[in-house]
Amino acid sequence: MDFNSQEYKRSRTSYMAQCTVEHFVSLLVTDAFLAKLLTHIGISDSLIGIISSFVTMAFVIQLLSIFVVRLNVSTKRIVMTCDTISNFFFMLLYFVPFIPASKEIKTVFVMLSIFIAYAGKYTVSSLLFKWANTYVSPSQRARYSANKEIISLVSGMIFTAVIGRIIDKFEGLDNLAGGFLFITIAILILNICNFICLLMIKKEDVSEHKADNEPFSVVLKQTLGNKNFRNIVILTIIWNIARYFTAGFLGVYKTKDLMLSLFFVQIVNIIANAFRVFISKPIARYSDKHSYAKGFQLGLILELFAYIILIFTTNNTWWFIILYTILHSCSYAGTNQNASNITYSYVDAKYIAQAMAIKNCIGGIFGFGASLLGSKVLDIIQSNGNIIFGIHIYAQQVLAGITALILIITLIFTKTVIEKQKVLKQ
């Protein structure tokens, strides 16, 4: 492979651009933006948390990629088709306020749209990852991932500030529906850009499919039959339980309980992402030099401190949410890309797509289960007037405390098990 060829360089640049566009879409369908939409429809806090975490259940669909890779169809064509459909259903989310139907019907429509959108995305996410990373030198994976992330974050800062300000203006004019229509048009434009970026990536070589038609027994032996990979699956399960027990309930916590404006939330996110950009390259170099597991562990430590701070965040100490957001954003510099790259350390590269599908599917099931449990805890505490043992405490503070404890377990497992495993050089 000639990683310095113009075709390979164009593919790497196009993949970076595609990730940036994809990041823009994800910003519009998560956190405060999604919470604002769902609150406007009249959906309860607990159900908002479940819907926000619905992405984890969509991970189950990733198992389809094991069957998709066996089809005699171009990976590029499948990815472009599914990704375009996915973004179309994200766009439909913001049409919901205009549907002349009951709240119950709108809720069902929202859940279906989110599930179909994420199902389309995750059916091909592992295929896209394997295909696009084919044009990246193995010795540069973490640094390339960091560069991708930095570009997405820096441009995302400007994007969210502008969109957040526009939506606040619409809301100030008592025309929030107009703001939702604006977001609909924005996602449509982003979908077109995403399609063009994928089109510019080099079509995969036929030789890349050499593991695709092997018997499932061989695929299972090379993945779940691999003890080191099973430990990665366990790590993903614990980490997903920790994250999704609380994460889905924070968007509404910021805008409703802490009474922060959408524009302010986006400014805080911009500041947090600026810090993340600053440490992304150093952590990437550390990960390339030592191991993806060690880089992942650094991210976990930052994430743990973030949730400890969140435990003490109330409307009296609302500014703690700034510290939480900064630490949580910085933690992704260690966990986000390394969570994907770590699979290369323990699974033959021929089976990366299948391994990632299995890992994300199993982890997603447990993550969604954690969000359901978290919603029950939130309902119980809120129905009691946010009073526990005579003390006023928000449900999200309790959820954050439980997440912190599970993150400690995740750290111990990473240090004592994952870091001890032999790393494959490929």
Short mmCIF file of all heavy atoms in Angstrom, two decimals, residues 297-345:
data_model
loop_
_atom_site.label_atom_id
_atom_site.label_comp_id
_atom_site.label_asym_id
_atom_site.label_seq_id
_atom_site.Cartn_x
_atom_site.Cartn_y
_atom_site.Cartn_z
N GLN A 297 -7.40 4.53 29.37
CA GLN A 297 -7.40 4.68 30.83
C GLN A 297 -7.29 6.15 31.23
O GLN A 297 -7.95 6.59 32.19
CB GLN A 297 -6.25 3.88 31.45
CG GLN A 297 -6.27 3.88 32.97
CD GLN A 297 -5.14 3.06 33.56
OE1 GLN A 297 -4.53 2.27 32.86
NE2 GLN A 297 -4.85 3.28 34.82
N LEU A 298 -6.48 6.92 30.52
CA LEU A 298 -6.38 8.35 30.81
C LEU A 298 -7.74 9.03 30.66
O LEU A 298 -8.12 9.88 31.48
CB LEU A 298 -5.37 9.01 29.87
CG LEU A 298 -3.88 8.73 30.11
CD1 LEU A 298 -3.03 9.44 29.05
CD2 LEU A 298 -3.47 9.20 31.50
N GLY A 299 -8.46 8.64 29.61
CA GLY A 299 -9.79 9.20 29.40
C GLY A 299 -10.75 8.84 30.53
O GLY A 299 -11.55 9.67 30.97
N LEU A 300 -10.67 7.60 31.01
CA LEU A 300 -11.53 7.16 32.11
C LEU A 300 -11.30 7.97 33.38
O LEU A 300 -12.25 8.30 34.11
CB LEU A 300 -11.30 5.67 32.40
CG LEU A 300 -11.87 4.66 31.41
CD1 LEU A 300 -11.48 3.25 31.81
CD2 LEU A 300 -13.40 4.78 31.32
N ILE A 301 -10.06 8.29 33.66
CA ILE A 301 -9.72 9.08 34.86
C ILE A 301 -10.38 10.46 34.79
O ILE A 301 -10.98 10.93 35.77
CB ILE A 301 -8.19 9.20 35.01
CG1 ILE A 301 -7.58 7.84 35.32
CG2 ILE A 301 -7.84 10.20 36.11
CD1 ILE A 301 -6.07 7.81 35.29
N LEU A 302 -10.28 11.09 33.62
CA LEU A 302 -10.91 12.41 33.45
C LEU A 302 -12.43 12.30 33.56
O LEU A 302 -13.09 13.17 34.16
CB LEU A 302 -10.53 12.98 32.08
CG LEU A 302 -9.06 13.38 31.90
CD1 LEU A 302 -8.79 13.74 30.45
CD2 LEU A 302 -8.71 14.54 32.81
N GLU A 303 -12.99 11.23 33.00
CA GLU A 303 -14.44 11.03 33.06
C GLU A 303 -14.91 10.83 34.50
O GLU A 303 -15.96 11.34 34.90
CB GLU A 303 -14.83 9.82 32.20
CG GLU A 303 -16.32 9.69 31.97
CD GLU A 303 -16.66 8.60 30.95
OE1 GLU A 303 -15.76 7.79 30.61
OE2 GLU A 303 -17.82 8.55 30.52
N LEU A 304 -14.13 10.12 35.29
CA LEU A 304 -14.46 9.89 36.69
C LEU A 304 -14.52 11.21 37.45
O LEU A 304 -15.49 11.47 38.19
CB LEU A 304 -13.43 8.95 37.33
CG LEU A 304 -13.54 8.75 38.85
CD1 LEU A 304 -14.90 8.16 39.21
CD2 LEU A 304 -12.42 7.86 39.36
N PHE A 305 -13.52 12.06 37.28
CA PHE A 305 -13.51 13.36 37.96
C PHE A 305 -14.70 14.22 37.51
O PHE A 305 -15.26 14.98 38.31
CB PHE A 305 -12.20 14.09 37.71
CG PHE A 305 -11.06 13.62 38.57
CD1 PHE A 305 -9.97 12.97 38.02
CD2 PHE A 305 -11.09 13.80 39.95
CE1 PHE A 305 -8.93 12.51 38.81
CE2 PHE A 305 -10.05 13.36 40.76
CZ PHE A 305 -8.96 12.70 40.19
N ALA A 306 -15.09 14.10 36.24
CA ALA A 306 -16.22 14.86 35.73
C ALA A 306 -17.50 14.50 36.48
O ALA A 306 -18.26 15.38 36.91
CB ALA A 306 -16.39 14.60 34.23
N TYR A 307 -17.74 13.20 36.66
CA TYR A 307 -18.96 12.78 37.33
C TYR A 307 -18.93 13.05 38.83
O TYR A 307 -19.98 13.26 39.45
CB TYR A 307 -19.24 11.30 37.03
CG TYR A 307 -19.93 11.11 35.70
CD1 TYR A 307 -19.22 10.74 34.57
CD2 TYR A 307 -21.29 11.36 35.56
CE1 TYR A 307 -19.84 10.59 33.33
CE2 TYR A 307 -21.93 11.22 34.34
CZ TYR A 307 -21.20 10.84 33.23
OH TYR A 307 -21.83 10.72 32.02
N ILE A 308 -17.75 13.06 39.42
CA ILE A 308 -17.64 13.43 40.84
C ILE A 308 -18.08 14.89 41.02
O ILE A 308 -18.80 15.23 41.96
CB ILE A 308 -16.19 13.24 41.34
CG1 ILE A 308 -15.88 11.74 41.43
CG2 ILE A 308 -16.00 13.90 42.71
CD1 ILE A 308 -14.44 11.43 41.79
N ILE A 309 -17.66 15.76 40.09
CA ILE A 309 -18.08 17.17 40.14
C ILE A 309 -19.58 17.29 39.91
O ILE A 309 -20.26 18.09 40.55
CB ILE A 309 -17.29 17.99 39.09
CG1 ILE A 309 -15.84 18.15 39.55
CG2 ILE A 309 -17.94 19.36 38.87
CD1 ILE A 309 -14.95 18.83 38.55
N LEU A 310 -20.12 16.47 39.01
CA LEU A 310 -21.55 16.53 38.71
C LEU A 310 -22.40 16.19 39.94
O LEU A 310 -23.52 16.69 40.10
CB LEU A 310 -21.89 15.57 37.56
CG LEU A 310 -23.31 15.63 37.00
CD1 LEU A 310 -23.61 17.02 36.45
CD2 LEU A 310 -23.50 14.58 35.92
N ILE A 311 -21.87 15.36 40.82
CA ILE A 311 -22.59 15.00 42.05
C ILE A 311 -22.94 16.25 42.85
O ILE A 311 -24.00 16.31 43.48
CB ILE A 311 -21.73 14.05 42.92
CG1 ILE A 311 -21.53 12.71 42.20
CG2 ILE A 311 -22.38 13.83 44.28
CD1 ILE A 311 -20.53 11.79 42.88
N PHE A 312 -22.07 17.26 42.80
CA PHE A 312 -22.25 18.47 43.61
C PHE A 312 -22.82 19.64 42.80
O PHE A 312 -22.81 20.79 43.26
CB PHE A 312 -20.91 18.87 44.23
CG PHE A 312 -20.30 17.80 45.09
CD1 PHE A 312 -19.30 16.98 44.59
CD2 PHE A 312 -20.75 17.59 46.39
CE1 PHE A 312 -18.74 15.97 45.38
CE2 PHE A 312 -20.20 16.60 47.18
CZ PHE A 312 -19.19 15.78 46.68
N THR A 313 -23.35 19.35 41.61
CA THR A 313 -23.90 20.41 40.75
C THR A 313 -25.39 20.60 40.99
O THR A 313 -26.19 19.69 40.76
CB THR A 313 -23.65 20.07 39.27
OG1 THR A 313 -22.25 19.90 39.04
CG2 THR A 313 -24.15 21.20 38.38
N THR A 314 -25.77 21.78 41.46
CA THR A 314 -27.18 22.14 41.68
C THR A 314 -27.42 23.53 41.09
O THR A 314 -26.50 24.14 40.53
CB THR A 314 -27.51 22.18 43.19
OG1 THR A 314 -26.80 23.26 43.80
CG2 THR A 314 -27.12 20.87 43.88
N ASN A 315 -28.65 24.05 41.24
CA ASN A 315 -28.88 25.40 40.72
C ASN A 315 -28.16 26.46 41.55
O ASN A 315 -28.01 27.60 41.11
CB ASN A 315 -30.38 25.72 40.62
CG ASN A 315 -31.13 25.38 41.90
OD1 ASN A 315 -30.53 25.11 42.93
ND2 ASN A 315 -32.45 25.38 41.81
N ASN A 316 -27.70 26.09 42.76
CA ASN A 316 -26.89 27.02 43.57
C ASN A 316 -25.42 26.97 43.17
O ASN A 316 -24.68 27.93 43.38
CB ASN A 316 -27.03 26.70 45.06
CG ASN A 316 -28.42 27.01 45.59
OD1 ASN A 316 -29.03 27.99 45.18
ND2 ASN A 316 -28.92 26.17 46.49
N THR A 317 -25.01 25.83 42.63
CA THR A 317 -23.62 25.68 42.17
C THR A 317 -23.64 25.36 40.68
O THR A 317 -22.90 24.50 40.20
CB THR A 317 -22.90 24.56 42.95
OG1 THR A 317 -23.63 23.32 42.77
CG2 THR A 317 -22.81 24.88 44.42
N TRP A 318 -24.50 26.06 39.94
CA TRP A 318 -24.73 25.76 38.53
C TRP A 318 -23.45 25.83 37.71
O TRP A 318 -23.30 25.13 36.71
CB TRP A 318 -25.76 26.72 37.94
CG TRP A 318 -25.34 28.16 37.99
CD1 TRP A 318 -25.63 29.06 38.97
CD2 TRP A 318 -24.53 28.84 37.03
NE1 TRP A 318 -25.05 30.27 38.69
CE2 TRP A 318 -24.37 30.17 37.49
CE3 TRP A 318 -23.94 28.47 35.82
CZ2 TRP A 318 -23.63 31.13 36.80
CZ3 TRP A 318 -23.19 29.41 35.13
CH2 TRP A 318 -23.05 30.73 35.61
N TRP A 319 -22.51 26.67 38.15
CA TRP A 319 -21.28 26.83 37.38
C TRP A 319 -20.40 25.58 37.41
O TRP A 319 -19.48 25.43 36.61
CB TRP A 319 -20.49 28.05 37.87
CG TRP A 319 -20.20 28.04 39.34
CD1 TRP A 319 -21.00 28.48 40.35
CD2 TRP A 319 -19.00 27.55 39.96
NE1 TRP A 319 -20.40 28.29 41.58
CE2 TRP A 319 -19.16 27.73 41.36
CE3 TRP A 319 -17.83 27.00 39.48
CZ2 TRP A 319 -18.19 27.35 42.27
CZ3 TRP A 319 -16.85 26.63 40.40
CH2 TRP A 319 -17.04 26.80 41.76
N PHE A 320 -20.70 24.64 38.33
CA PHE A 320 -19.98 23.35 38.34
C PHE A 320 -20.18 22.60 37.02
O PHE A 320 -19.36 21.78 36.63
CB PHE A 320 -20.47 22.47 39.50
CG PHE A 320 -19.81 22.77 40.81
CD1 PHE A 320 -19.12 23.94 41.02
CD2 PHE A 320 -19.89 21.86 41.87
CE1 PHE A 320 -18.51 24.22 42.24
CE2 PHE A 320 -19.29 22.11 43.09
CZ PHE A 320 -18.60 23.31 43.29
N ILE A 321 -21.33 22.90 36.36
CA ILE A 321 -21.62 22.21 35.10
C ILE A 321 -20.56 22.56 34.05
O ILE A 321 -20.29 21.78 33.13
CB ILE A 321 -23.03 22.57 34.58
CG1 ILE A 321 -23.53 21.49 33.58
CG2 ILE A 321 -23.07 23.92 33.91
CD1 ILE A 321 -23.84 20.17 34.19
N ILE A 322 -19.93 23.73 34.21
CA ILE A 322 -18.86 24.13 33.29
C ILE A 322 -17.65 23.22 33.50
O ILE A 322 -17.06 22.72 32.54
CB ILE A 322 -18.46 25.60 33.51
CG1 ILE A 322 -19.66 26.52 33.26
CG2 ILE A 322 -17.29 25.98 32.60
CD1 ILE A 322 -19.41 27.99 33.58
N LEU A 323 -17.29 22.99 34.77
CA LEU A 323 -16.16 22.10 35.09
C LEU A 323 -16.45 20.68 34.63
O LEU A 323 -15.59 20.01 34.05
CB LEU A 323 -15.88 22.12 36.59
CG LEU A 323 -15.49 23.47 37.21
CD1 LEU A 323 -15.32 23.33 38.72
CD2 LEU A 323 -14.20 23.98 36.58
N TYR A 324 -17.70 20.23 34.89
CA TYR A 324 -18.09 18.89 34.45
C TYR A 324 -17.95 18.76 32.94
O TYR A 324 -17.36 17.78 32.44
CB TYR A 324 -19.54 18.60 34.85
CG TYR A 324 -20.15 17.47 34.03
CD1 TYR A 324 -19.89 16.14 34.35
CD2 TYR A 324 -20.95 17.75 32.90
CE1 TYR A 324 -20.41 15.11 33.57
CE2 TYR A 324 -21.46 16.72 32.13
CZ TYR A 324 -21.20 15.41 32.46
OH TYR A 324 -21.69 14.41 31.69
N THR A 325 -18.47 19.73 32.19
CA THR A 325 -18.47 19.65 30.73
C THR A 325 -17.05 19.65 30.17
O THR A 325 -16.74 18.92 29.23
CB THR A 325 -19.27 20.83 30.13
OG1 THR A 325 -20.57 20.87 30.72
CG2 THR A 325 -19.41 20.68 28.62
N ILE A 326 -16.17 20.46 30.77
CA ILE A 326 -14.77 20.51 30.32
C ILE A 326 -14.09 19.17 30.54
O ILE A 326 -13.46 18.61 29.63
CB ILE A 326 -14.00 21.63 31.05
CG1 ILE A 326 -14.49 23.01 30.58
CG2 ILE A 326 -12.49 21.51 30.80
CD1 ILE A 326 -13.91 24.17 31.36
N LEU A 327 -14.21 18.62 31.75
CA LEU A 327 -13.56 17.34 32.06
C LEU A 327 -14.16 16.20 31.23
O LEU A 327 -13.43 15.34 30.74
CB LEU A 327 -13.70 17.03 33.55
CG LEU A 327 -12.76 17.80 34.49
CD1 LEU A 327 -13.14 17.55 35.94
CD2 LEU A 327 -11.31 17.39 34.25
N HIS A 328 -15.47 16.22 31.09
CA HIS A 328 -16.14 15.15 30.33
C HIS A 328 -15.73 15.19 28.86
O HIS A 328 -15.48 14.16 28.24
CB HIS A 328 -17.64 15.27 30.47
CG HIS A 328 -18.40 14.10 29.95
ND1 HIS A 328 -19.06 14.11 28.74
CD2 HIS A 328 -18.58 12.84 30.45
CE1 HIS A 328 -19.62 12.94 28.53
NE2 HIS A 328 -19.36 12.15 29.54
N SER A 329 -15.65 16.41 28.30
CA SER A 329 -15.24 16.56 26.91
C SER A 329 -13.79 16.10 26.74
O SER A 329 -13.47 15.39 25.77
CB SER A 329 -15.39 18.02 26.49
OG SER A 329 -15.01 18.18 25.14
N CYS A 330 -12.92 16.49 27.66
CA CYS A 330 -11.51 16.09 27.58
C CYS A 330 -11.34 14.58 27.70
O CYS A 330 -10.43 14.00 27.11
CB CYS A 330 -10.70 16.79 28.67
SG CYS A 330 -10.45 18.55 28.39
N SER A 331 -12.24 13.94 28.45
CA SER A 331 -12.13 12.49 28.62
C SER A 331 -12.28 11.76 27.30
O SER A 331 -11.68 10.72 27.07
CB SER A 331 -13.20 11.99 29.61
OG SER A 331 -14.49 11.97 29.04
N TYR A 332 -13.07 12.34 26.38
CA TYR A 332 -13.27 11.72 25.08
C TYR A 332 -12.00 11.69 24.24
O TYR A 332 -11.87 10.86 23.34
CB TYR A 332 -14.36 12.46 24.30
CG TYR A 332 -15.77 12.08 24.69
CD1 TYR A 332 -16.74 13.04 24.91
CD2 TYR A 332 -16.12 10.75 24.85
CE1 TYR A 332 -18.04 12.70 25.27
CE2 TYR A 332 -17.41 10.38 25.21
CZ TYR A 332 -18.37 11.37 25.42
OH TYR A 332 -19.64 11.01 25.78
N ALA A 333 -11.05 12.58 24.55
CA ALA A 333 -9.77 12.56 23.84
C ALA A 333 -9.04 11.25 24.10
O ALA A 333 -8.24 10.79 23.29
CB ALA A 333 -8.90 13.74 24.28
N GLY A 334 -9.35 10.62 25.24
CA GLY A 334 -8.74 9.34 25.57
C GLY A 334 -9.62 8.15 25.26
O GLY A 334 -9.14 7.11 24.82
N THR A 335 -10.93 8.30 25.47
CA THR A 335 -11.83 7.14 25.34
C THR A 335 -12.43 6.98 23.95
O THR A 335 -12.56 5.87 23.44
CB THR A 335 -12.98 7.24 26.36
OG1 THR A 335 -13.71 8.46 26.13
CG2 THR A 335 -12.46 7.20 27.78
N ASN A 336 -12.79 8.09 23.31
CA ASN A 336 -13.59 8.03 22.09
C ASN A 336 -12.93 7.23 20.96
O ASN A 336 -13.46 6.23 20.48
CB ASN A 336 -13.92 9.45 21.61
CG ASN A 336 -15.11 9.48 20.68
OD1 ASN A 336 -16.03 8.68 20.80
ND2 ASN A 336 -15.10 10.40 19.74
N GLN A 337 -11.75 7.68 20.52
CA GLN A 337 -11.07 7.00 19.42
C GLN A 337 -10.42 5.69 19.86
O GLN A 337 -10.41 4.71 19.12
CB GLN A 337 -10.03 7.93 18.78
CG GLN A 337 -10.61 9.19 18.17
CD GLN A 337 -11.62 8.91 17.08
OE1 GLN A 337 -11.59 7.89 16.40
NE2 GLN A 337 -12.57 9.83 16.90
N ASN A 338 -9.87 5.68 21.08
CA ASN A 338 -9.22 4.46 21.57
C ASN A 338 -10.20 3.32 21.76
O ASN A 338 -9.83 2.14 21.67
CB ASN A 338 -8.47 4.74 22.87
CG ASN A 338 -7.17 5.50 22.64
OD1 ASN A 338 -6.46 5.23 21.67
ND2 ASN A 338 -6.85 6.45 23.50
N ALA A 339 -11.46 3.65 22.04
CA ALA A 339 -12.48 2.60 22.18
C ALA A 339 -12.65 1.82 20.89
O ALA A 339 -12.97 0.63 20.90
CB ALA A 339 -13.81 3.22 22.61
N SER A 340 -12.42 2.49 19.75
CA SER A 340 -12.49 1.81 18.44
C SER A 340 -11.15 1.19 18.08
O SER A 340 -11.07 0.03 17.68
CB SER A 340 -12.90 2.81 17.36
OG SER A 340 -14.19 3.32 17.60
N ASN A 341 -10.08 1.99 18.22
CA ASN A 341 -8.75 1.52 17.82
C ASN A 341 -8.26 0.33 18.64
O ASN A 341 -7.47 -0.49 18.16
CB ASN A 341 -7.73 2.66 17.94
CG ASN A 341 -7.89 3.70 16.85
OD1 ASN A 341 -8.30 3.37 15.74
ND2 ASN A 341 -7.57 4.94 17.15
N ILE A 342 -8.73 0.21 19.87
CA ILE A 342 -8.26 -0.86 20.76
C ILE A 342 -8.58 -2.24 20.19
O ILE A 342 -7.88 -3.23 20.50
CB ILE A 342 -8.87 -0.69 22.18
CG1 ILE A 342 -8.04 -1.47 23.21
CG2 ILE A 342 -10.34 -1.11 22.21
CD1 ILE A 342 -8.44 -1.17 24.64
N THR A 343 -9.60 -2.32 19.33
CA THR A 343 -9.95 -3.61 18.73
C THR A 343 -8.81 -4.13 17.87
O THR A 343 -8.59 -5.35 17.78
CB THR A 343 -11.23 -3.46 17.88
OG1 THR A 343 -12.22 -2.76 18.62
CG2 THR A 343 -11.78 -4.83 17.48
N TYR A 344 -8.07 -3.22 17.21
CA TYR A 344 -6.91 -3.62 16.40
C TYR A 344 -5.83 -4.31 17.24
O TYR A 344 -5.04 -5.08 16.70
CB TYR A 344 -6.29 -2.40 15.72
CG TYR A 344 -7.00 -1.93 14.48
CD1 TYR A 344 -7.79 -0.78 14.51
CD2 TYR A 344 -6.89 -2.61 13.27
CE1 TYR A 344 -8.44 -0.33 13.37
CE2 TYR A 344 -7.54 -2.16 12.13
CZ TYR A 344 -8.31 -1.03 12.18
OH TYR A 344 -8.95 -0.58 11.05
N SER A 345 -5.82 -4.02 18.54
CA SER A 345 -4.77 -4.57 19.40
C SER A 345 -4.94 -6.05 19.70
O SER A 345 -3.99 -6.74 20.05
CB SER A 345 -4.73 -3.79 20.73
OG SER A 345 -4.36 -2.45 20.53
#
